[in-house]
Amino acid sequence: MRLAFVTPRYGAEILGGAETQVRDYAERLAAAGHDVEALTTCAVDHHTWRNALPPGESVATGVRVRRFAVTRPRDHALAARQQPVLDAGLCLGPEGERAWVENTGVSEPLLEAIAATAPRVDALLFAPYLFASTVLGAAVRPDRSLVIPCLHDEAYARFAPVQAALRGAAGLILNTEAERDLAARLLGELPPNRVVGEGFEPAAAVDGEGFRRRHRLDRDALAYAGRRERGKNYHLVLEYVTLYSRALSRRGPVRLLAMGGGPLQPPESARPLVCDLGFVGHGEMLDALAASLASVQLSRMESFSRVLMEGWLAGTPAIVDAGCPVTREHCAQSGGGVWVGDAEEFAEVVDRLRADPELRGRMVDAGRRYVARRYNWTAVLGRLEAAVRELVGN
C-alpha cells in the first residue's frame, strides 16, 4: 500500500503518545514493504508552534518525511482568553471553536501538500484528533482520510469542527474498545471504524536492582512516567503519595520516582518524597519501573496508555484511576492492575502490594501475558493493515 501519515509534529525527538504511535506505525509499515511517508510541520513545541526545524524532505528509519512551515503563528493572547472559559466548563461558540483550531499550528503548505498527495496514495492517516493538521487536513480529501483520533473525554472533542472532521472521515482507527465507546457517546452514529491499538516488543533486560543502587533507594518506590500537568492528574499522584506516606500507610512512607516534564511542581509537603528523574531514556525508564512497587497512572485523559504496557513488560503492576475507562479496561481484562477512587483506596492497594509479593508477581505475569497476546507487533500490524484496506476499500 501507499500511505501518508499526517501529524503536526513528527520525529524521535517529539514527546507524546499520539506522536510516538504514528511514528511506530509508519516505521513498521515501511519495514513491512509498504510505501510510507509522513507529512508534518516544522514545529516541535505544541504550545508555541514555532518553526524549530527546517522545511524540506528527509528519510527517517525508512519513512520519507516532508516538513512544512507553520504559517499562522500562535496567538497567545487568544489562547489566554479561551483557556479559562474551557476550564470553567463553558462553551466558546462556533466562531471561538474555529479560532481555537486555527490557533494550533495551521500550515497552508501542509494543506496544499495533502491535496497534492491524496491522488497517489491509498490512504491519508491523520493523528491526533484535535489539531489543525487533522481537523482541516482530513477535510481536504475525506474519502481518502482515516483518523487515528487518540480521543479524550475533554472539551475539544465536543467542538463542532472537530466532530465534523471525525464524522466526515472515511473511517476511524481506534486504540481500545473504551475509546470507541467514548467516540460513540460524543458523535452518535460512528463512521466505519476498527480497533487496532499499539504494538510492543518484548522488554529487553531490565535492571531494577541496579537502578535502586544507582539512585540509593532505601525504601519502596512508586513510579510515575508522563507529562506533569493537571490534565494527567499528576497533582493527584502527588496528593495520594503524600497522604499515604504522612498519614495512611501502615508500613511507612514510599518514594515517588517522577519521570517526564511539565509545569506542575510538587508542593512543599511532597518534595522530600519525590525523586525527580526528569526526562530519561527508554532503558532508564524501564529500569525505574522495574525498581518500583507499582506504576501509578491516575490520568483520565487516555486513549491507550503506553506506560501501562511498558510497566507490565518491565515487571511492574499498575494503579490507575477508577474514572478512566481506558486504563480500567486494560486492568480488568489483564488482571495486571487495580483501579482506585480516592486516597484511602490507594493506601489500601499500596499496603497490600507491599505485604504480598506473590500477589504482585501474579499481577505482573498477567499483565505481561496481556501485552504479549494482544499488542505484539505481528498482531497489531495485521490489524492495522486490514483496517486500512477495509476502511478505504483497497
Side-chain angles (χ1 to χ4, degrees):
M1 290 186 290
R2 295 165 297 174
L3 305 171
F5 286 87
V6 182
T7 185
R9 304 179 299 151
Y10 186 92
E13 72 277 17
I14 304 300
L15 300 175
E19 291 80 5
T20 300
Q21 182 176 355
V22 165
R23 191 174 72 254
D24 282 350
Y25 276 3
E27 292 175 359
R28 292 285 176 161
L29 287 165
H34 300 285
D35 183 354
V36 181
E37 60 184 302
L39 310 182
T40 189
T41 75
C42 298
V44 171
D45 187 337
H46 70 288
H47 295 292
T48 68
W49 296 110
R50 183 177 64 84
N51 289 311
L53 300 172
E57 295 188 16
S58 62
V59 177
T61 320
V63 178
R64 179 190 178 201
V65 181
R66 294 195 284 155
R67 297 187 186 278
F68 303 90
V70 171
T71 49
R72 299 191 199 176
R74 174 80 160 172
D75 184 339
H76 293 282
L78 174 65
R81 291 195 302 272
Q82 289 187 323
Q83 196 57 51
V85 176
L86 296 173
D87 290 343
L90 303 175
C91 296
L92 296 178
E95 291 184 6
E97 291 174 355
R98 184 76 178 184
W100 190 95
V101 170
E102 292 178 352
N103 204 25
T104 59
V106 170
S107 169
E108 274 85 5
L110 174 60
L111 297 176
E112 293 167 3
I114 291 168
T117 302
R120 61 176 178 79
V121 297
D122 297 304
L124 298 154
L125 295 97
F126 295 84
Y129 80 93
L130 72 165
F131 296 126
S133 56
T134 296
V135 178
L136 305 183
V140 173
R141 280 294 301 271
D143 60 314
R144 293 285 177 93
S145 296
L146 304 178
V147 179
I148 308 165
C150 303
L151 197 62
H152 298 160
D153 189 1
E154 56 194 349
Y156 320 121
R158 292 169 173 80
F159 287 178
V162 169
Q163 295 201 351
L166 294 176
R167 291 192 185 99
L172 305 180
I173 294 177
L174 301 157
N175 282 324
T176 57
E177 297 290 344
E179 186 191 8
R180 180 158 63 184
D181 292 343
L182 171 61
R185 291 199 303 274
L186 292 170
L187 301 177
E189 185 175 351
L190 287 178
N193 61 86
R194 300 290 184 276
V195 174
V196 173
E198 301 186 41
F200 296 85
E201 295 286 358
V206 295
D207 187 7
E209 287 303 317
F211 181 94
R212 295 184 67 86
R213 288 194 300 272
R214 291 194 301 275
H215 293 271
R216 299 178 181 178
L217 285 178
D218 57 357
R219 68 178 74 161
D220 287 333
L222 301 168
Y224 174 86
R227 296 197 299 276
R228 301 185 205 180
E229 59 187 31
R230 294 187 72 85
K232 291 295 185 180
N233 266 352
Y234 179 58
H235 66 291
L236 206 58
V237 176
L238 293 170
E239 178 184 322
Y240 283 10
V241 168
T242 303
L243 284 170
Y244 175 79
S245 295
R246 304 295 189 209
L248 300 176
S249 172
R250 297 175 182 175
R251 304 179 68 87
V254 294
R255 297 294 300 276
L256 177 66
L257 308 180
M259 295 170 278
L264 200 57
Q265 297 299 317
E268 188 68 34
S269 59
R271 287 175 193 168
L273 303 171
V274 177
C275 178
D276 188 344
L277 301 173
F279 291 104
V280 298
H282 188 249
E284 184 75 354
M285 180 191 75
L286 293 179
D287 286 350
L289 289 167
S292 300
L293 183 76
S295 166
V296 182
Q297 301 299 323
L298 302 182
S299 168
R300 297 184 179 186
M301 300 296 183
E302 300 296 327
S303 69
F304 185 78
S305 189
R306 293 183 62 87
V307 75
L308 289 193
M309 310 300 151
E310 301 275 21
W312 286 328
L313 292 173
T316 310
I319 302 174
V320 305
D321 193 287
C324 180
V326 168
T327 55
R328 182 168 176 164
E329 176 182 280
H330 283 315
C331 290
Q333 293 182 353
S334 69
V338 182
W339 51 91
V340 298
D342 55 37
E344 287 76 14
E345 290 182 0
F346 176 83
E348 290 178 11
V349 168
V350 175
D351 276 343
R352 178 69 186 278
L353 290 174
R354 296 177 83 178
D356 195 341
E358 290 186 0
L359 170 64
R360 183 179 177 279
R362 290 195 299 272
M363 292 171 66
V364 167
D365 290 343
R368 279 179 172 155
R369 289 194 299 270
Y370 177 74
V371 180
R373 182 178 70 253
R374 296 189 59 166
Y375 299 114
N376 68 82
W377 267 114
T378 300
V380 170
L381 201 60
R383 292 197 294 268
L384 179 59
E385 290 170 327
V388 173
R389 290 191 175 100
E390 293 166 6
L391 293 173
V392 295
N394 292 315

